[in-house]
Amino acid sequence: MKILLATHNQFKANEVRQIFQGNNHEVLTLNEVCPELKITEDGSTFAENARKKARTAFTRTGMWTLGEDSGLEIDALNGLPGIMSARFVREDATDIERNRRILLMMIAVPEEKRTARFRCVVCLIEPGGKEEIFEGVCEGRIAHTIRGIHGFGYDPIFIPEGYTQTFAELGQAVKNRISHRARAFQKVLNYLQTRLSSVAGLT
Ligand code: ITT
């Protein structure tokens, strides 16, 4: 089945495609379906933003649609950057600038207080308009330096629980098994499996 992921972020889309691999779903993005569609993220929670992305794209296309909003929550910074993750520092800042700023803000924070988590919230809308919300969390801590070359965003400063390397050092195969995105989209896949067989049973 074709399913639209309402994102312009190609790193995110590639991760979702890898998580969906072998499940007979073709994941399309806004870049392929309606490249001009810009969605303003003005919600106050990840769920509100995920829902807005999904609803806006669904209204345009009528397709099975996924909206995803995600970010990094750092305990020592009272949950920042949180829903501001993509806009932290400045709207047009680079990933390196954002990572440097966080490391600077945390320069005096000791190891045991460097706890953080990535959160991913997904809103799925099916052609009849029914909608469901899914969430995935990956606990970890903030490194002291920028490390690794894989992934995107805050991957070079995030060490997932149970590991000593950052997501950007661990690489995509490990990340796609344990990440917030992997956890949320695995729930989506499980739901789709049940939902599609019940819809097929009705026809
Ligand atoms: P769309 O809104 O078009 O989907 P976006 O990049 O603006 O793309 P978000 O609003 O969900 O996406 O912002 C998520 C930001 O959080 C993202 O830009 C990264 O800075 C950070 N982030 C989310 N997931 C991440 C991950 O797996 N690894 C590193 N950083 C991540």
Side-chain angles (χ1 to χ4, degrees), residues 39-51:
I39 305 167
T40 315
E41 294 175 38
D42 49 10
S44 56
T45 62
F46 289 116
E48 278 177 28
N49 284 334
R51 186 171 182 276

Side-chain angles (χ1 to χ4, degrees), residues 52-181:
K52 182 168 182 192
K53 291 178 200 186
R55 257 306 138 199
T56 309
F58 171 74
T59 303
R60 178 73 71 93
T61 64
M63 295 173 69
W64 282 89
T65 303
L66 294 159
E68 191 256 42
D69 201 52
S70 48
L72 179 64
E73 299 170 346
I74 303 176
D75 294 326
L77 304 181
N78 292 319
L80 280 176
I83 59 163
M84 294 301 295
S85 289
R87 287 155 282 156
F88 190 57
V89 180
R90 290 189 322 277
E91 192 88 35
D92 64 345
T94 62
D95 287 343
I96 292 210
E97 283 177 293
R98 294 192 227 278
N99 286 329
R100 282 196 182 132
R101 174 65 65 88
I102 284 176
L103 293 186
L104 198 59
M105 289 169 83
M106 293 188 63
I107 203 150
V109 178
E111 193 59 41
E112 70 279 7
K113 296 215 169 108
R114 299 180 78 86
T115 49
R117 69 206 51 76
F118 270 123
R119 191 180 299 279
C120 170
V121 177
V122 182
C123 175
L124 168 71
I125 304 182
E126 62 180 57
K130 178 172 155 54
E131 104 185 17
E132 293 288 330
I133 297 277
F134 306 86
E135 181 167 314
V137 171
C138 180
E139 296 286 343
R141 63 186 200 280
I142 302 301
H144 292 272
T145 53
I146 294 173
R147 288 162 27 194
I149 55 163
H150 303 287
F152 71 102
Y154 302 100
D155 283 344
I157 59 166
F158 183 80
I159 302 171
E161 206 168 70
Y163 292 81
T164 55
Q165 292 178 299
T166 65
F167 264 159
E169 292 175 302
L170 289 166
Q172 217 58 62
V174 175
K175 184 180 176 192
N176 285 339
R177 267 205 321 273
I178 63 169
S179 78
H180 50 310
R181 189 160 293 107

